């Protein structure tokens, strides 16, 4: 009868709709699982690489040497001076960029302090990009140094061959979790830790803060005087 055919048609339409909805849910679940597996696989690559020479460790998925050293230490213990002295050596290269990631969630301070591995910056970057991609952005701020075995027609690239690079972030020494993160991402990096006699360091820090305050006061007085 017409009523039966109409009911069957409605049931068929409902079945197709449910089937379509079921397929959509399955697809979404598969995409979610796939993204989760990709993230886990990417994170497993962190800290994996090849040691080409004593001064060159190439992370997995990259073709150039990772930074070879990190300077850390107490404030006013000479980290900036050591960084400056090292850069005077023709085989030591500074950073290539002061912007760590596309959204500029983290930027380099004083052209040497990347501050990547300490919080809250590290957690923010990992949550935004994932650990593997965040570390990739970190590696991108360093100059391109080809492995000693590299052979390229790019003369500009080959001028960096056998050179080294690194960063200087004093606060790494006092930030929880930094040591484990550095070991995970850069297992072959050399750590240069600077300490100083506590009394001398405190005295130097006192004058550093006092001079900053005096400079600010003098600048304000000069600005006010110049407008009258």
């Amino acid at each position: 009868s017409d009523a039966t055919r109409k009911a069957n048609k409605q049931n068929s339409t409902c079945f197709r709709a449910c089937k379509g909805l079921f397929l959509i849910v399955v697809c979404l679940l598969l995409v979610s699982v796939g993204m989760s597996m990709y993230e886990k696989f990417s994170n497993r690559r962190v800290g994996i690489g090849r040691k080409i020479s004593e001064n060159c460790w190439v992370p997995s998925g990259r073709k150039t040497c990772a930074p070879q050293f990190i300077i850390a230490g107490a404030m006013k213990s000479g980290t900036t001076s050591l960084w400056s002295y090292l850069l005077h050596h023709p085989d030591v290269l500074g950073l290539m960029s002061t912007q760590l990631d596309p959204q500029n969630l983290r930027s380099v301070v004083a052209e040497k302090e990347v501050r990547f591995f300490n919080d809250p910056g590290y957690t923010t970057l990992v949550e935004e990009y994932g650990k593997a991609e965040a570390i990739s952005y970190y590696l991108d701020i360093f100059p391109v140094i080809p492995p000693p075995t590299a052979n390229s027609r790019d003369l500009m690239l080959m001028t960096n061959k056998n050179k080294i690079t690194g960063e200087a972030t004093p606060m790494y020494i006092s930030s929880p979790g930094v040591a484990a993160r550095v070991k995970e991402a850069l297992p072959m990096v050399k750590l240069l830790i600077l300490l100083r006699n506590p009394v001398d360091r405190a005295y130097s820090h006192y004058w550093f803060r006092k001079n900053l305050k005096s400079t600010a006061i003098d600048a304000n007085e000069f600005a006010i005087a110049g407008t009258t």
Side-chain angles (χ1 to χ4, degrees):
S1 64
D2 292 341
T4 302
R5 286 195 296 271
K6 185 176 181 180
N8 290 337
K9 185 177 181 180
Q10 289 177 345
N11 291 336
S12 178
T13 302
C14 182
F15 175 77
R16 286 197 297 270
C18 291
K19 183 179 179 181
L21 181 61
F22 174 76
L23 291 175
I24 291 174
V25 171
V26 170
C27 289
L28 290 175
L29 287 174
L30 289 175
V31 170
S32 177
V33 171
M35 291 179 65
S36 178
M37 292 180 64
Y38 173 78
E39 184 175 353
K40 288 182 179 179
F41 174 76
S42 297
N43 289 339
R44 286 178 182 175
R45 294 173 57 188
V46 173
I48 299 175
R50 296 174 294 127
K51 182 180 179 182
I52 307 299
S53 68
E54 189 63 30
N55 289 326
C56 181
W57 181 77
V58 178
S60 176
R62 302 182 72 92
K63 297 181 180 180
T64 56
C65 304
Q68 292 88 349
F69 68 87
I70 292 177
I71 299 173
M75 187 175 184
K76 310 309 296 178
S77 63
T79 53
T80 300
S81 295
L82 177 59
W83 171 258
S84 177
Y85 300 153
L86 288 174
L87 289 187
H88 279 81
H89 194 287
D91 290 337
V92 179
L93 304 177
L95 304 178
M96 289 291 291
S97 173
T98 57
Q99 182 175 326
L100 185 59
D101 65 289
Q103 299 184 50
N104 203 23
L105 299 177
R106 198 71 165 166
S107 57
V108 176
V109 178
E111 299 183 353
K112 66 181 179 67
E113 298 184 26
V114 182
R115 302 185 181 184
F116 171 74
F117 292 104
N118 58 292
D119 283 323
Y122 181 85
T123 300
T124 300
L125 290 168
V126 170
E127 289 178 350
E128 180 67 25
Y129 303 110
K131 185 185 295 184
E133 190 171 358
I135 292 176
S136 180
Y137 285 136
Y138 169 75
L139 296 174
D140 286 343
I141 69 171
F142 295 96
V144 176
I145 299 178
T149 55
N151 186 12
S152 173
R153 296 180 180 179
D154 188 340
L155 297 180
M156 291 295 293
L157 175 63
M158 297 308 288
T159 57
N160 289 346
K161 192 174 180 179
N162 296 320
K163 296 187 177 182
I164 64 173
T165 187
E167 60 146 318
T169 301
M171 65 175 59
Y172 281 165
I173 194 174
S174 58
S175 301
V178 166
R181 292 166 182 169
V182 171
K183 182 180 180 181
E184 179 185 27
L186 303 171
M188 300 297 295
V189 75
K190 293 178 174 62
L191 302 178
L192 308 179
I193 307 298
L194 275 70
L195 302 175
R196 187 178 180 182
N197 180 292
V199 176
D200 293 339
R201 194 216 66 80
Y203 184 72
S204 177
H205 193 184
Y206 166 78
W207 282 107
F208 173 74
R209 299 297 299 176
K210 185 176 178 62
N211 289 336
L212 283 180
K213 185 176 181 180
S214 298
T215 301
I217 293 173
D218 293 341
N220 290 333
E221 291 177 351
F222 179 81
I224 294 172
T227 58
T228 57

